[in-house]
């Protein structure tokens, strides 16, 4: 799907990027110094991790641009942050891949749990989100908002099938915008709360975290791992990565051929039974919501991507130093290996015409480095173990927070009902996959 030519400003490579980097460092340091904050909520507890503080601080700074004068994080800089986020996430993917490679026997041992949890990811959004949408008076927008978690592939599927000005198109855009603004924060809080109830095995929860969005998977996995022993936290990261890889690779086909037809059928059956008519039932077809939704940002060239990887690596070293007291020089080797894996994966992605996403190539390269097939696996495992995977998450979500404010104008056009449905769909994908993984585990 192509974004509107009028909504994405031209980003100059050197456009006050220093300001973005300074904000990123300050936010990361403050977030890590605040650390984790937990409080009771009914039978469980909510854990707010540094990544949540980073997201919130970045969003606040961006939203105050009109009041900050020369210190403002302008919209072009917010787009720059979004452009940096995309390649920077590959660094997190590389770290997870390195952990997966050394844990392949455990993953293979999971068997059917890892295979079938994919059904839960996509069916769960419909089972929980669709009935709620109909009860709230939402009409065909409910199909687009609940057939998936509404990331970029979902936009493309709905755009091609119905058009973005259709009710289904407005529904998937609502899910996309809500997920962009609040998805990582919501899933981190929700996953952390469900984990605190102690009713699911941590590995099943980890599989539920692989929703197909890098930032949301990182947030959910981090919230789950924060409540585990160090060894179990490693397993959580490993299985979340494996689940996310499956969702990323086959998820598009699953949504196209299974979950979208299921959502259409569910709407046709349930709407006459539980559907209601409210003020949200009639949405203006020409509200231009799609033109205010930034579905694409300018791709960085190779030099820009390398710069993003290096800076994300520096932030990771700082986070690892503050949170886990590992001296910066001890972490450099891990960052070098991670960047190397990302660079090789990125090159393979381009050599194959981008037919296979870079995230898949990076995962495969990183997995090989610590797998039994690599003769240097033991040494690489020792080096890369110096950085805790939670330290890689906060830098990623720092950039996500700095890029959020650009989507607030489009968010204001959404009614609270469709936003609530979006949250329900995100909760459904996590719970659905977790339930199935728990059953087969």
């Amino acid at each position: 799907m192509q974004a509107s030519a009028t909504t994405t400003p031209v980003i100059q490579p050197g456009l006050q990027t220093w300001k973005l980097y300074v904000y990123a460092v300050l936010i990361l340091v403050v977030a890590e110094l605040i650390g984790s904050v937990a409080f009771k909520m009914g039978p469980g507890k909510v854990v707010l991790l540094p990544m949540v503080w980073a997201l919130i601080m970045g969003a606040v700074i961006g939203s105050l641009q009109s009041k900050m004068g020369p210190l403002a994080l302008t919209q072009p800089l917010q787009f720059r942050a979004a452009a940096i986020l995309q390649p920077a996430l590959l660094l997190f993917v590389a770290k997870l891949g390195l952990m997966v490679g050394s844990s392949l026997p455990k993953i293979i041992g999971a068997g059917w749990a890892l295979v079938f949890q994919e059904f839960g990811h996509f069916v769960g959004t419909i089972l929980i989100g669709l009935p709620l949408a109909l009860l709230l008076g939402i009409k065909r927008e409910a199909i687009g908002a609940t057939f998936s978690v509404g990331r970029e592939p979902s936009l493309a599927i709905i755009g091609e099938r119905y058009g973005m000005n259709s009710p289904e198109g407005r529904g998937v855009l609502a899910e996309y915008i809500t997920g962009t603004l609040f998805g990582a924060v919501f899933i981190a809080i929700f996953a952390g709360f469900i984990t605190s109830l102690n009713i699911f095995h941590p590995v099943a929860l980890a599989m539920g975290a692989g929703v197909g969005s890098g930032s949301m998977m990182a947030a959910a996995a981090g919230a789950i791992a924060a409540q585990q022993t160090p060894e179990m936290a490693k397993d959580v990261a490993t299985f979340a990565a494996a689940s996310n890889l499956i969702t990323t690779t086959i998820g598009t086909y699953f949504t196209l051929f299974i979950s979208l037809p299921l959502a259409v059928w569910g709407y046709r059956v349930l709407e006459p039974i539980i559907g209601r008519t409210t003020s949200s039932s009639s949405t203006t077809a020409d509200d231009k919501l799609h033109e205010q939704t930034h579905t694409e940002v300018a791709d960085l060239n190779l030099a820009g991507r390398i710069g993003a990887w290096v800076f994300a690596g520096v932030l990771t070293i700082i986070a690892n130093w503050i949170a886990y007291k590992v001296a910066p020089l001890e972490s450099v080797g891990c960052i070098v290996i991670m960047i190397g894996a990302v660079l090789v994966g990125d090159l393979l992605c381009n050599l194959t015409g981008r037919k296979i996403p870079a995230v898949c190539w990076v995962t495969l390269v990183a997995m090989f480095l610590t797998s039994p097939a690599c003769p240097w696996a033991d040494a690489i495992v020792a080096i890369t173990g110096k950085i805790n995977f939670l330290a890689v998450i906060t830098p990623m979500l720092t950039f996500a927070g700095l890029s959020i404010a650009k989507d607030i104008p489009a968010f204001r056009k959404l009614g609270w009902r469709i936003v609530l449905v979006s949250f329900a769909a995100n909760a459904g994908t996590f719970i659905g996959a977790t339930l199935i993984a728990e059953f087969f585990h």
Side-chain angles (χ1 to χ4, degrees), residues 96 99-101 103-104 106-107 233-243:
L96 292 180
M99 297 173 70
V100 169
S103 303
L104 283 176
K106 289 184 180 180
I107 293 175
K234 180 181 176 181
D235 286 347
V236 167
T238 298
F239 281 95
S243 172

Side-chain angles (χ1 to χ4, degrees), residues 92-111 113-118 121 203-212 217-218 221 234-251 359-360 363-364 367 389 433 437:
F92 175 66
V93 170
K95 173 59 178 175
L96 292 180
L98 290 167
M99 297 173 70
V100 169
S102 58
S103 303
L104 283 176
K106 289 184 180 180
I107 293 175
I108 295 172
L114 197 56
V115 173
F116 286 118
Q117 55 84 33
E118 188 66 15
H121 274 308
V203 169
L205 291 164
M207 294 184 201
V211 299
M217 183 269 285
K234 180 181 176 181
D235 286 347
V236 167
T238 298
F239 281 95
S243 172
N244 206 61
L245 178 62
I246 293 173
T247 304
T248 302
T249 51
I250 71 172
V359 64
C360 297
T363 300
L364 292 173
M367 284 172 57
F389 90 98

Side-chain angles (χ1 to χ4, degrees), residues 291-314:
E291 294 182 7
Q292 299 181 39
T293 304
H294 307 303
T295 58
E296 290 185 358
V297 294
D299 288 334
L300 299 179
N301 57 25
L302 181 58
R305 295 197 297 277
I306 292 175
W309 301 329
V310 170
F311 185 67
V314 171

